[in-house]
C-alpha cells in the first residue's frame, strides 16, 4: 500500500503523506522511493505547465516525524550511512529543484528528515495547533541531520539560530517558527488546505512578492558574517556544548564542525561534508546506545498497563500531606499541571517555605519563557496550604510525603481513611518502607499504593509505582494515568524495602562511603563517577538528598536486608556532626549559591584511614558492580520484571548516563564472567559479604548469558 497520494486540481498538485496502519509518518526507503516517482511525474507535468505548484500535506497531528529510526539503527558501516544520506539528499534536492512553487503545509510534528523535506520546499506554512512541532533532534540519537538540515536551516534562519536549534535538538512551536522565519504563515487547523491553496494562488498571481532577506542587526551581522565574529560564535557554541555534555556526546561537536566548515560555502560541498560526518556518527556505539534508550522511552511512555482495566477519569483534585522538600515539590508539579491541590503540614514554617519554593519555580519557568506570567499566577493559586484535613474530602488522590517513619505514615493513612472520599487513592512517597506495612491496618488496603518521586520533583522524569499484595488493579491504573498526566514516566515495581531504584542506588552510595572510609578522598570518588558519565558524584548526590534522609533510608535497608547492606559509618558521623548537606548549606561540600567547595571537616570524621592506594578503575568497578549485583538480585526476586525496567529506571531516576544505554546494557558490554570474577576478588580482599555475587549472576555465568538474554555476553 502506498503512503503518498497525489491529486492535481487546477494546476495545483496536492501530495498527502499518510503511512497506512501507523499513527505517524516517517521517511523510510519505501516512502523515499515513492517520492522519487512522484517528483519525476511532477517534473514532466511542470515542463508542460500542467502543474504550477505543489502542496505537501499529511495526516492530522504528524506531518513527518523524521527518518525511520529502525533504518538508522540497522546501518552497519560508515559507507552505507554516507550512501543513505547522499541518496536522501539527492531526492530532496530534486524536490528543491522543481521549477514550480513548492509548499509544505505542516499540520503536526515536523521533525528531523520531515523538517529537512519541508526545508527543501520554497515555502512552509503551519497551523496554530499545539501539535505543530518543528526541529532537528538528530543529536539526541547521536547523529547529525543527514538530509541537508545542517546546510539549509542556518541558511534560512541565520547561523546563530540554526546552531542553537541543531546543537540542542531544540523543538519549537509553530508560533516560534513564524517569528524566526522558519515558516511563512500560520493558519487555523480547520482551514489549512484552503488557506494554503489561496497562499499559493497569491504567489502565482504575483500578489505575494518573493521573500526579502531580512536585514540583520549590526551585532548579528558581525557575528555571522565576519571571520572574527564567526570564530567567537563557534567557540562559544563549543564551550556551551562541552558544559552541557561534558564531551560524552560527539554529535553536537561534530555538527559545529560541519557548520563551521561549510557555512557560506558552496552548498554541494556542504552536503558532501554533512554526509561524511553523518556516516562517521551513525556507526558509533554512542548513537546505537542512544537509539536503544529512545526505544525504551517510547515503550515506557505507553507501558505498563493493567489488563482488563479501562482508562480512569481525570483527577480533578489532589491532596498532599507533608510540605517538606518532596511534598512541596509534588504540590508544585500538580499545580503546574492545572490540578488544584491541598497541601497539609503540621508546621506553618514548612508550608511557608514550600509556597516560597513553588513560587520560585514558577518564576523561573516564566524567566525561561516556558510559562506566561499570567499562567504562573493562576497556577500558584491552585496550591492551598492548610494545617488541617479540611478540603481533603473530595480529593481523588492523596499523596503522603511526611517523614520516613512507618508509625507516622500509618497514623496519617488512618486519619485519611476517616475523612477522605471512599474512592480516593492513597499514595505514599516513601523511599524505602514497604507499602503493605502502611496498608495492612486500613479497612481498604486496596486503595494504598507507592508513588515514589525523585528529587528534585519538577526535574526528574521518573516515578516508581509500587503495588503491594493488596493494591487493586483499579488503584494501579488510576495512579499510572495520574502520574502520566503530570508528565512522568512510569515503572511499576514490587513492594520490597527500597523498591527498585533506591535499592540499586544505595548499593552504589554505600560503596562510595566505604571507599572514603578506606582512605580515598571523596572529591576523587566524585570525579571517578563523573568521568564515567554520572551527572554528579555519589557524595554530591548525598548532599542533594540530605545526609540525614539518606542515612535513615540506608539504615532501613540495612535492617531489612542485613549485613550485605551494612551502612558505611561515614553517613552516620556526618549526620551527627550536623552536616546535613545542601539544605543546611554544609555537608560533604560547603554550598554557597550555585558554588560548592569541599568541606575539610569531613576528614576529621574518618578515624581509621588506611591510605591504601587504589586505582580509579578498581574504585569505579566497586561502585558499579555493587549496583549490577543488586540489580541482578532485583530481577531474581521479581522486583523488576525485566532488564529494560531497570535500565530506563536508572537513566530517568538517577541520571545513569544514557550514552551507555543503561546499567544492565553496560554490564553486558563487560560480560557476567568478568563482573563475577571481580566481585569475588573484592569479597576476598575486603572479607565483606556485600560483594558476594548473587545466584542470578552466577547462573548467567554458567549459561554464558547477558542480561538481555538473546545477546550472549562476550
Ligand atoms: P522533609 O523532612 O523535608 O519533610 C517532611 C514534612 O512532613 C515536614 O515538613 C514535616 O513537618 C511534615 N510532617 C511530619 N508529620 C506530619 C503529619 N502528621 N502531617 C503533615 N505533615 C507532617 O522530608 P522529605 O525529604 O520531603 O521526605 C518526605 C518523604 O519523601 C519521606 O518518606 C522520604 O523518604 C521521601 N523521599 C525523599 C526524597 C528526598 O530526596 N528527600 C526522595 C524521594 C522520597
Amino acid at each position: 500500500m502506498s503512503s503518498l497520494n497525489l491529486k492535481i486540481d487546477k494546476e495545483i498538485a496536492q501530495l498527502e503523506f499518510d503511512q497506512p496502519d501507523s499513527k505517524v509518518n516517517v521517511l523510510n526507503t519505501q516512502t523515499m522511493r515513492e517520492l522519487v516517482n512522484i517528483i519525476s511525474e511532477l517534473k514532466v507535468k511542470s515542463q508542460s505547465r500542467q502543474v504550477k505548484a505543489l502542496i505537501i500535506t499529511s495526516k492530522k497531528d504528524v506531518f513527518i516525524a523524521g527518518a525511520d529510526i529502525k533504518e538508522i539503527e540497522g546501518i552497519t558501516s560508515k559507507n552505507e550511512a554516507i550512501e543513505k544520506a547522499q541518496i536522501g539528499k539527492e531526492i530532496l534536492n530534486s524536490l528543491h529543484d522543481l521549477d514550480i512553487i513548492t509548499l509544505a503545509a505542516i499540520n503536526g510534528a515536523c521533525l528531523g528528515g520531515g523538517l529537512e523535506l519541508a526545508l527543501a520546499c520554497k515555502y512552509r506554512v503551519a497551523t496554530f495547533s499545539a501539535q505543530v512541532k518543528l526541529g532537528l533532534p538528530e543529536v539526541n540519537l547521536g547523529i547529525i541531520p543527514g538530509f541537508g538540515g545542517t546546510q539549509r536551516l542556518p541558511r534560512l534562519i541565520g547561523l546563530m539560530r540554526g546552531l542553537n536549534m541543531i546543537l540542542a535538538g531544540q523543538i519549537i512551536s509553530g508560533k516560534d517558527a513564524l517569528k524566526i522565519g522558519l515558516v511563512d504563515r500560520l493558519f487555523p487547523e480547520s482551514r489549512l488546505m484552503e488557506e494554503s491553496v489561496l497562499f499559493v494562488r497569491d504567489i502565482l498571481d504575483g500578489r505575494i512578492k518573493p521573500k526579502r532577506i531580512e536585514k540583520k542587526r549590526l551585532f548579528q551581522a558581525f557575528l555571522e558574517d565576519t571571520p572574527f565574529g564567526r570564530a567567537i560564535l563557534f567557540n562559544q557554541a563549543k564551550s556551551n556544548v562541552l558544559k552541557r555534555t561534558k564531551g560524552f556526546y560527539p554529535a553536537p561537536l561534530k555538527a559545529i564542525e560541519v557548520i563551521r566548515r561549510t557555512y557560506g560555502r558552496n552548498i554541494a560541498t556542504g552536503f558532501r561534508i554533512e554526509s561524511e560526518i553523518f556516516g562517521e556518527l551513525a556507526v558509533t556505539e554512542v548513537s546505537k546506545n542512544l537509539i536503544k534508550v529512545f526505544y525504551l522511552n517510547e515503550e515506557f511512555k505507553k507501558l505498563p498497563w493493567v489488563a482488563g482495566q479501562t482508562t480512569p477519569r481525570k483527577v480533578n483534585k489532589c491532596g498532599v500531606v507533608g510540605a517538606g522538600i518532596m511534598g512541596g515539590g509534588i504540590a508544585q508539579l500538580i499545580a503546574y499541571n492545572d490540578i488544584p491541590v491541598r497541601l497539609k503540614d503540621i508546621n506553618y514554617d514548612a508550608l511557608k517555605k514550600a509556597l516560597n519554593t513553588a513560587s520560585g519555580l514558577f518564576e523561573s519557568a516564566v524567566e525561561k519563557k516556558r510559562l506566561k506570567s499570567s499562567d504562573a499566577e493562576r497556577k500558584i493559586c491552585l496550591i492551598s496550604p492548610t494545617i488541617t484535613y479540611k478540603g481533603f474530602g473530595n480529593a481523588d488522590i492523596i499523596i503522603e510525603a511526611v517523614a520516613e517513619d512507618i508509625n507516622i505514615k500509618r497514623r496519617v493513612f488512618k486519619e485519611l481513611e476517616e475523612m477522605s472520599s471512599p474512592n480516593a487513592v492513597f499514595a505514599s512517597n516513601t523511599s524505602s518502607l514497604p507499602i503493605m506495612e502502611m496498608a495492612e491496618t486500613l479497612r481498604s488496603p486496596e486503595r494504598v499504593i507507592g508513588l515514589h518521586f525523585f528529587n528534585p520533583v519538577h526535574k526528574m522524569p521518573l516515578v516508581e509505582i509500587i503495588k503491594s499484595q493488596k493494591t487493586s488493579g483499579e488503584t494501579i491504573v488510576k495512579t499510572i494515568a495520574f502520574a502520566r498526566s503530570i508528565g512522568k514516566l512510569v515503572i511499576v515495581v514490587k513492594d520490597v524495602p527500597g523498591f527498585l531504584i533506591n535499592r540499586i542506588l544505595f548499593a552504589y552510595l554505600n560503596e562510595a562511603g566505604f571507599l572514603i572510609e578506606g582512605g580515598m578522598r571523596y572529591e576523587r570518588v566524585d570525579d571517578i563517577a563523573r568521568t564515567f558519565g554520572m551527572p554528579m558524584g555519589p557524595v554530591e548526590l548525598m548532599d542533594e538528598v540530605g545526609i540525614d534522609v539518606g542515612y535513615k533510608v540506608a539504615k532501613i535497608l540495612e535492617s531489612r536486608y542485613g549485613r550485605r547492606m551494612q551502612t558505611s559509618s561515614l553517613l552516620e558521623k556526618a549526620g551527627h556532626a550536623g552536616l546535613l548537606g545542601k539544605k543546611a548549606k554544609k555537608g560533604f561540600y560547603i554550598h554557597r549559591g550555585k558554588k560548592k567547595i569541599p568541606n575539610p571537616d569531613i576528614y576529621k570524621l574518618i578515624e581509621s584511614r588506611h591510605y591504601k592506594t587504589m586505582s580509579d578503575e578498581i574504585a569505579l568497578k566497586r561502585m558499579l558492580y555493587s549496583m549490577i549485583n543488586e540489580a541482578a538480585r532485583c530481577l531474581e526476586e521479581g522486583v523488576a520484571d525485566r532488564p529494560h525496567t531497570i535500565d530506563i529506571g536508572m537513566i530517568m531516576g538517577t541520571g545513569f548516563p544514557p550514552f551507555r544505554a543503561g546499567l544492565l546494557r553496560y554490564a553486558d558490554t563487560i560480560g557476567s564472567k568478568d563482573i563475577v570474577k571481580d566481585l569475588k576478588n573484592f569479597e576476598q580482599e575486603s572479607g565483606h559479604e556485600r560483594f558476594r555475587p548473587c545466584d542470578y549472576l552466577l547462573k548467567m555465568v554458567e549459561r554464558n548469558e547477558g542480561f538481555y538474554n538473546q545477546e550472549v555476553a562476550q
Side-chain angles (χ1 to χ4, degrees), residues 321-327 344-347 350 389 400-405 408-409 411-412 415 429-432 452-455 502 544-546 549 553 583:
V321 187
I325 304 181
M326 295 306 288
K344 177 189 183 292
D345 205 286
I346 43 174
N347 180 334
Y389 283 113
E400 162 285 305
V402 299
E404 189 75 342
D405 178 318
I408 303 180
K409 290 193 190 283
R411 201 167 57 238
V412 166
E415 289 164 0
N429 182 49
T430 173
S431 308
S432 56
H452 182 214
F453 289 85
F454 292 78
N455 185 10
N502 275 348
E544 288 290 324
V545 170
V549 175
V553 173
K583 61 185 169 190

Side-chain angles (χ1 to χ4, degrees), residues 196-329:
S196 297
V197 171
L198 289 176
F199 184 68
V200 163
R201 289 245 169 261
D202 281 348
I203 300 169
L204 288 173
D205 298 344
R207 283 190 292 273
I208 292 179
K209 299 281 170 247
K211 279 180 275 188
R212 274 188 301 128
I213 308 277
E214 199 189 318
K215 204 159 176 273
K216 289 179 185 174
R217 291 193 181 157
L218 204 59
F219 189 57
Q220 188 190 359
F222 161 71
L223 285 178
E224 297 192 349
D225 302 335
T226 67
F228 186 54
R230 274 187 209 168
I232 296 176
L233 200 60
F234 286 120
N235 283 343
Q236 188 59 46
K238 188 172 172 187
S239 106
N240 290 344
V241 165
L242 284 174
K243 210 161 131 198
R244 192 162 38 85
T245 64
K246 317 273 186 300
F248 289 119
Y249 298 83
L253 293 173
K254 287 285 181 184
I256 296 177
E257 182 190 325
V258 171
I259 300 171
R260 188 176 48 74
R261 285 169 62 192
T262 59
Y263 187 73
R265 288 178 65 187
N266 172 306
I267 200 161
T269 312
F271 285 151
R272 192 181 43 73
I273 294 174
E274 181 193 87
S275 295
E276 183 76 18
I277 303 280
F278 172 84
E280 267 176 36
L281 291 167
V283 288
T284 56
E285 200 182 334
V286 171
S287 170
K288 301 292 179 207
N289 283 346
L290 290 176
I291 290 175
K292 288 193 180 91
V293 175
F294 171 83
Y295 285 137
L296 267 186
N297 217 336
E298 290 298 299
E299 183 189 342
F300 277 82
K301 272 189 208 157
K302 297 172 212 132
L303 286 172
W305 202 244
V306 180
Q309 294 289 335
T310 50
T311 311
R313 72 182 171 83
K314 192 178 165 290
V315 165
N316 288 318
K317 186 175 176 186
C318 290
V320 174
V321 187
I325 304 181
M326 295 306 288

Side-chain angles (χ1 to χ4, degrees), residues 417-432:
E417 194 170 46
E418 295 312 316
M419 41 59 49
S420 61
S421 131
N423 298 321
V425 166
F426 297 159
S428 171
N429 182 49
T430 173
S431 308
S432 56

Side-chain angles (χ1 to χ4, degrees), residues 74-118:
I75 293 174
T76 53
S77 75
K78 180 179 166 185
N79 283 346
E80 183 192 348
I82 294 176
E83 195 186 322
K84 273 196 174 342
Q86 281 299 101
I87 293 174
K89 270 196 259 277
E90 274 163 29
I91 298 170
L92 295 191
N93 284 346
S94 61
L95 169 67
H96 179 266
D97 294 343
L98 279 177
D99 191 16
I100 54 175
I101 305 295
T102 47
L103 174 137
I106 300 161
N107 192 17
C110 176
L111 303 171
L115 181 57
E116 290 174 299
L117 182 137

